Amino acid sequence: MACCTAADHVTSSAVESTRPLFWGIAGVWVFYAVAALAIVVFVQGVAARVLAWRRAGRGRLPALDASRLWSMARNGLLGLRIFRGDAGAGLMHLLIAWGFLGLFAGTALLSIHEWIVPFLVGDVYLIYSATMEVFGLLLLAGLLWAGVRRYVVRTGRLSRTPGDLVPLLWLGLVGVTGFLLEGARLGAGGAVRLGDWSFVGEALTAIRLPRDQRLVVYQGLWWTHALLSLGLVAWIPRSKLLHTLVAPLNLMVESSPEPSPMGRGQGEGTEPEPTLRARDLLAIDACTRCGRCVDACPSRAAGEPLSPREVVQALRTGPVAAATQTGPGRDLWYCTACLACREVCPVEVTPLELVARLRGAVIEEGSAVPPKLGETLERLHKYQNPWVSKKGQKAAWARDLELEAPELEPAWLYFVGCTTSLDTRAQAIARSIATVLARCGVAFGTLGKKEPCCGDIGRRVGERGLFEDQREATAALLDERGARRVVTSSPHCFDTIARAYGPGREVLHYSQLLARLIDEGKLELARASEGPTKATYHDPCFLGRHNGVYDEPRRVLAAVPGIELVEMEAHGASSVCCGGGGGRMWQTELPDKGDLAGRRIGQAVATGARLLVTACPLCLVMLEDARKTAGLEDRIEVVDLCELVARHLAAAPEGAGE
Amino acid sequence: MNILVCVKAVPETAEAELEISRSGDAVETDDLVFGINEWDAYAVEEAVRLKEARGGTITALSLGGDEAEDVLRRALAMGCDEAIRLEDDELAGSDPATVARALARAIEVRGLEPDLILTGVQSADTGYGQIGVLLAQRLDLPHATLAVGLELEPDAGRIVVQRELEAGTLERVELPLPGLVTVQSGINRPRYVSIMGIRKVRSKTIEQLGVDDLELGKVGPAAAVWSLRTLSLPPAGARAEMLEGSLAQVCARAAEIVREKGGRR
């Protein structure tokens, strides 16, 4: 492969331009021996990785999906995701990748020319030669840029370990010795002078050497270049350059994020110790430590120690149980499962899947589970909610609400959810949803006092058994009630029931149902008295990034008369987490906790909006608390989307919606 | 080193609204959720830590019905090796002395020769705090109560116990083994038991012993030295005062009350 690079062109006769590989080189067999060794080492390195993936057994790699080839082409070959938010990095990578690929292709062509059909002769060779010059320059320019970014500009997110430096230097040396070799060969008379067709080599002949040293220098450079190139080949599978092979593969198999150790319909019964799956190992091998996940992490931004990159790296070197003993292993309770890390990853690694794996290991081992989390999980197990150690409280929100008894066959099962049922602030969401649905003539029922926890918390904190029990119980209850259509208050319940329960139900978040009712003309909203109001919308992570529901809540907002939407700078896919997800809501004892919700409400206030609208009970509770803590009561109001809708119901009778 | 640890299933009452049964001598437990007695969880954890450090086996022993079965299952998941449940139908209404007699007989009948017996200091429901001491008497073993620290001597012939006394004082006592220690809360941090952990020990058998196996003679209320008459809920206090007004006013009034009652001056 890269054994002969850009500038390595020689012609054999004065008559016609072409390339003899070994002009002036003795002991060609040594070259072939080393090349064979390099290839063996390379293959052995790749095979070791593939075997490791296969050994991971359970959960084989997902089948390659033809529709993913397009993603691989865009994000693997062109690296389009690298351009996001950092065009310079994208261009830099494109130069290196295509410089390298071009030279690799050139070497492949040369091999064909040497061993199969000689075709690099005459004009074809001239074009070939000039093209290789260009690719060589692209590579060197990209490498130089990369070096400047990492070591001169010192871009914050980039690490500067030996593992980052050596690949840059090595690739650079291969390129530079290639050009020098070309120059030396031309100087030593080992090739027809091609003039502008090998412009770099020609330029380098300006370096004058004594006549008797020319051949020796050329031979020295030849071997240096050959050995460096072969060494690089051998080293690729053991370096971060492994990503050149694995990242495209990762992009191909990653069709949708399943950020949990408990995907759809998997794992009934007992499981052995939590281990990494083939899918995880692939992602770990694809990681290049670029650090975008660190920059995107809301926990990190709030000054907490979690680093998604370090979590991935900790698992690269050791087993899951060992990783839980390291720094990143201890920091994993800060993760809010917001998915921002995957959103920005150029190769679609999902660090939060690995966080979930680590959490599972800690939970099963037991002794390092944070006490408050342990209490929450026990409460979830015994009382089917994370809030109160008391049974039969789930329907308390509806006590003072006058609702007509549901029809015989309600069209929708309204899954209220723990926080919406039990938190005094969030209960307003349940009341407004019930009111709005009733007003639209939507027949709905609930599971009332018997509603279990959907399992979201267990799923996110890695309490796999608890999640499985709750999934089973909830699914059975839904089936018993004949609930084929489920609407939820919480994006968390929505995500879990829609994506982890298996098929057979239509599951919507209420914002989607409201958008549908507006489209159907069943939900009519009137102008409220106070006049036009600026509002901003906070995308809940489990509605937006996790499920791609960005549009419907905004359509509902647009339908509310008098509301003018002003977006925060970070919205949609780049929305910033409130800090309540991934079990963080119940992790009140984390040391050095950052103020995630405070940062987010600050961003909302900066828009000048009077209303901060969200569509998740956890976001509502977190942001409402932050509003009070920051003393922003007079500046902004935090309101759930459905609460806002209920306020604007056409000709609302007294008291509706609250 | 063989350890025996006694555990009890108790109803969780921290947030529950308690009701007294119609007979007036029991708490209605139908709507209550049972779990391991807090002090016993510390005792089991301590036993498992001793085992992890020094080897040996742990037997968990409980008296009770299905709830006791669940609690023993949990003890197994935490690291106990065997579990024995004494059926409680006929033992219902027994006083602590009879319960201790039953536990002691179970140890004898099963031929267990524990080097160390651990119990919780007390149970969260009745709070008598007698079982550990009575059991030691029955088995003629030395005992130490209110342990907040255990250190096993290298030859395992003795154990050094830190006892929690009043006002933060500690007492160090040395106990020859075999002996019995009642464990105070806070001695350690009991590990979390996952649902999967419970599932893993689902197939382990929990040995059951009845009153007949134990040849206990008279049990229940008939054998009790004393009996429970009635339970009552504490009357709601009448002296609650809701402070109203602005935050500053509320704070000022609260400070005033503290001063009036002889608090900080």
Side-chain angles (χ1 to χ4, degrees):
Chain A
M1 28 193 301
C3 58
C4 309
T5 58
D8 195 5
H9 321 310
V10 185
T11 52
S12 63
S13 77
V15 186
E16 198 166 38
S17 316
T18 186
R19 162 68 84 79
L21 267 176
F22 301 107
W23 178 80
I25 297 300
V28 169
W29 66 271
V30 176
F31 172 79
Y32 278 116
V34 176
L37 183 65
I39 289 169
V40 167
V41 175
F42 172 83
V43 169
Q44 190 266 330
V46 172
R49 297 317 305 150
V50 174
L51 284 177
W53 303 339
R54 291 181 62 110
R55 258 201 310 278
R58 184 169 51 93
R60 281 179 308 167
L61 285 180
L64 291 186
D65 176 351
S67 70
R68 294 300 298 170
L69 285 173
W70 177 231
S71 158
M72 197 279 279
R74 281 178 312 157
N75 298 316
L77 296 180
L78 294 178
L80 289 187
R81 286 177 72 95
I82 309 173
F83 283 85
R84 288 195 196 170
D86 192 347
L91 199 58
M92 176 275 291
H93 184 267
L94 202 63
L95 288 174
I96 298 177
W98 280 93
F100 185 87
L101 278 177
L103 297 175
F104 175 75
T107 307
L109 289 177
L110 197 60
S111 304
I112 294 171
H113 165 78
E114 178 74 12
W115 291 317
I116 306 171
V117 195
F119 68 102
L120 292 174
V121 288
D123 289 349
V124 175
Y125 180 66
L126 292 181
I127 292 165
Y128 169 85
S129 174
T131 311
M132 290 301 103
E133 302 275 302
V134 171
F135 280 124
L137 285 178
L138 291 181
L139 175 68
L140 288 181
L143 290 171
L144 191 64
W145 193 348
V148 167
R149 283 172 57 86
R150 198 175 289 267
Y151 294 99
V152 181
V153 180
R154 298 176 81 85
T155 302
R157 61 180 168 82
L158 299 177
S159 60
R160 279 171 284 275
T161 65
D164 299 307
L165 179 63
V166 174
L168 274 184
L169 289 180
W170 202 326
L171 275 167
L173 280 174
V174 168
V176 168
T177 56
F179 276 127
L180 287 175
L181 166 61
E182 182 190 33
R185 179 167 45 219
L186 293 171
V192 170
R193 304 296 280 256
L194 299 178
D196 289 345
W197 297 104
S198 61
F199 46 91
V200 180
E202 280 295 337
L204 285 169
T205 57
I207 304 170
R208 288 282 165 203
L209 293 170
R211 186 168 296 277
D212 57 338
Q213 288 180 20
R214 285 183 190 164
L215 191 63
V216 180
V217 169
Y218 157 73
Q219 286 166 334
L221 281 168
W222 194 96
W223 282 108
T224 307
H225 180 67
L227 293 178
L228 278 173
S229 305
L230 292 172
L232 183 66
V233 170
W235 190 56
I236 282 175
R238 290 161 181 83
S239 73
K240 76 189 262 189
L241 294 176
L242 178 62
H243 84 274
T244 56
L245 305 170
V246 182
L249 203 58
N250 193 58
L251 285 161
M252 257 194 290
V253 297
E254 181 72 358
S255 53
S256 68
E258 182 47 70
S260 101
M262 314 111 185
R264 176 172 298 176
Q266 279 180 5
E268 294 300 321
T270 58
E271 286 281 345
E273 299 306 308
T275 51
L276 294 177
R277 295 196 238 140
R279 183 72 204 75
D280 304 324
L281 291 173
L282 193 66
I284 291 167
D285 284 344
C287 172
T288 58
R289 308 198 283 268
C290 75
R292 285 165 193 251
C293 51
V294 184
D295 278 0
C297 179
S299 162
R300 186 64 167 217
E304 294 172 351
L306 175 68
S307 161
R309 167 172 59 191
E310 296 317 315
V311 170
V312 177
Q313 292 300 318
L315 287 167
R316 184 191 289 273
T317 46
V320 179
T324 61
Q325 305 299 314
T326 64
R330 284 190 294 271
D331 296 337
L332 46 91
W333 301 107
Y334 290 97
C335 175
T336 66
C338 78
L339 207 63
C341 48
R342 181 184 183 277
E343 188 65 33
V344 298
C345 179
V347 295
E348 293 186 355
V349 173
T350 311
L352 89 90
E353 279 188 25
L354 302 171
V355 165
R357 220 72 83 226
L358 281 168
R359 287 180 168 185
V362 174
I363 293 272
E364 296 311 329
E365 194 277 332
S367 63
V369 175
K372 274 271 185 296
L373 179 64
E375 285 167 28
T376 303
L377 292 173
E378 297 246 340
R379 191 176 298 123
L380 275 164
H381 173 55
K382 290 174 178 163
Y383 300 95
Q384 291 302 317
N385 81 81
W387 293 106
V388 295
S389 296
K390 214 192 234 186
K391 281 182 162 176
Q393 303 298 306
K394 279 276 176 86
W397 62 272
R399 232 172 251 159
D400 51 354
L401 202 66
E402 282 178 30
L403 290 173
E404 286 171 31
E407 292 169 17
L408 277 180
E409 261 186 58
W412 288 91
L413 187 292
Y414 171 34
F415 192 88
V416 187
C418 298
T419 302
T420 314
S421 302
L422 297 167
D423 180 90
T424 44
R425 175 66 186 91
Q427 282 175 344
I429 305 175
R431 287 196 285 269
S432 64
I433 290 176
T435 306
V436 171
L437 291 185
R439 183 68 64 80
C440 296
V442 175
F444 69 95
T446 70
L447 297 177
K449 278 205 279 193
K450 287 189 172 170
E451 186 187 278
C453 170
C454 67
D456 172 71
I457 301 168
R459 183 176 173 222
R460 294 295 159 192
V461 305
E463 217 314 4
R464 185 187 176 117
L466 179 65
F467 163 67
E468 285 174 357
D469 281 2
Q470 290 179 328
R471 173 179 62 187
E472 213 169 286
T474 309
L477 201 52
L478 290 174
D479 290 344
E480 189 188 306
R481 300 288 173 90
R484 308 309 336 153
R485 301 207 284 175
V486 178
V487 60
T488 74
S489 324
S490 171
H492 296 263
C493 308
F494 164 62
D495 181 74
T496 296
I497 299 175
R499 309 215 0 235
Y501 274 40
R505 285 175 210 91
E506 182 188 8
V507 187
L508 292 185
H509 179 254
Y510 81 78
S511 62
Q512 296 171 301
L513 183 57
L514 293 188
R516 195 183 282 185
L517 291 168
I518 288 169
D519 291 347
E520 292 169 355
K522 288 181 184 160
L523 176 54
E524 282 179 41
L525 298 174
R527 176 177 288 274
S529 51
E530 68 261 31
T533 309
K534 274 190 182 176
T536 191
Y537 174 67
H538 165 75
D539 289 272
C541 304
F542 279 81
L543 203 52
R545 270 190 296 270
H546 277 272
N547 289 289
V549 181
Y550 300 112
D551 189 36
E552 290 95 324
R554 288 181 169 78
R555 269 167 49 210
V556 173
L557 259 185
V560 179
I563 292 292
E564 182 201 336
L565 176 64
V566 282
E567 295 284 9
M568 286 179 266
E569 197 181 316
H571 67 276
S574 57
S575 174
V576 180
C577 179
C578 72
R584 270 290 291 266
M585 181 65 104
W586 299 277
Q587 286 278 346
T588 46
E589 68 197 342
L590 285 174
D592 303 319
K593 256 187 13 161
D595 186 12
L596 277 72
R599 292 170 60 85
R600 186 56 171 163
I601 200 155
Q603 295 168 7
V605 167
T607 63
R610 298 291 300 174
L611 277 181
L612 170 54
V613 184
T614 185
C616 167
L618 300 188
C619 297
L620 184 69
V621 171
M622 294 298 292
L623 294 169
E624 189 75 272
D625 281 354
R627 183 179 80 122
K628 288 174 185 158
T629 309
L632 294 168
E633 282 104 324
D634 301 333
R635 299 282 298 279
I636 198 161
E637 186 191 351
V638 181
V639 66
D640 188 83
L641 179 65
C642 199
E643 280 185 279
L644 186 65
V645 167
R647 286 182 198 169
H648 288 262
L649 279 175
E654 271 188 313
E658 281 300 326
Chain B
M1 171 108 183
N2 294 323
I3 304 173
L4 181 105
V5 55
C6 298
V7 294
K8 182 180 185 183
V10 297
E12 293 188 353
T13 55
E15 294 175 41
E17 283 150 21
L18 290 187
E19 281 175 46
I20 308 287
S21 68
R22 206 170 290 170
S23 58
D25 61 353
V27 172
E28 282 290 352
T29 55
D30 288 355
D31 287 336
L32 297 181
V33 172
F34 280 73
I36 186 168
N37 176 42
E38 184 191 345
W39 287 267
D40 299 345
Y42 288 102
V44 173
E45 176 67 31
E46 201 60 23
V48 174
R49 288 184 187 194
L50 286 173
K51 179 182 113 172
E52 282 169 353
R54 304 295 284 267
T57 58
I58 309 171
T59 307
L61 177 62
S62 185
L63 185 158
D66 291 346
E67 294 91 3
E69 187 98 2
D70 291 343
V71 163
L72 285 172
R73 202 61 78 189
R74 185 190 173 89
L76 289 171
M78 284 177 80
C80 293
D81 303 282
E82 283 170 41
I84 304 168
R85 181 170 72 87
L86 310 186
E87 306 213 34
D88 74 338
D89 286 353
E90 288 161 76
L91 286 158
S94 296
D95 66 356
T98 311
V99 173
R101 185 153 59 94
L103 295 176
R105 276 298 293 157
I107 294 166
E108 287 163 7
V109 167
R110 281 286 282 94
L112 299 172
E113 284 176 359
D115 301 299
L116 178 65
I117 298 178
L118 296 178
T119 72
V121 163
Q122 58 186 328
S123 65
D125 52 358
T126 57
Y128 297 139
Q130 295 190 21
I131 295 297
V133 181
L134 288 170
L135 183 57
Q137 285 297 316
R138 274 274 159 200
L139 296 170
D140 202 16
L141 293 176
H143 72 268
T145 55
L146 290 160
V148 290
L150 291 183
E151 271 170 72
L152 209 54
E153 295 278 302
D155 64 356
R158 312 180 80 73
I159 192 160
V160 179
V161 181
Q162 299 252 31
R163 298 186 60 240
E164 183 185 49
L165 302 182
E166 303 249 319
T169 18
L170 294 178
E171 182 183 75
R172 276 170 72 89
V173 298
E174 223 179 66
L175 206 66
L177 295 181
L180 183 146
V181 177
T182 76
V183 175
Q184 175 66 303
S185 60
I187 188 175
N188 54 40
R189 211 175 86 185
R191 65 196 66 195
Y192 176 74
V193 180
S194 73
I195 304 296
M196 210 100 83
I198 302 268
R199 278 190 210 165
K200 278 180 194 162
V201 295
R202 200 184 271 160
S203 57
K204 279 200 177 179
T205 46
I206 292 176
E207 193 182 338
Q208 306 199 358
L209 293 176
V211 173
D212 297 342
D213 302 316
L214 300 176
E215 298 163 0
L216 280 175
K218 241 201 265 179
V219 294
V225 182
W226 50 263
S227 61
L228 189 150
R229 289 265 179 89
T230 57
L231 285 169
S232 62
L233 293 168
R239 265 183 293 173
E241 181 186 347
M242 298 302 289
L243 303 182
E244 283 172 15
S246 72
L247 183 64
Q249 288 167 333
V250 169
C251 291
R253 176 72 193 124
E256 207 174 297
I257 293 172
V258 172
R259 272 196 296 272
E260 279 168 15
K261 304 271 176 195
R264 252 182 95 87
R265 271 159 227 283

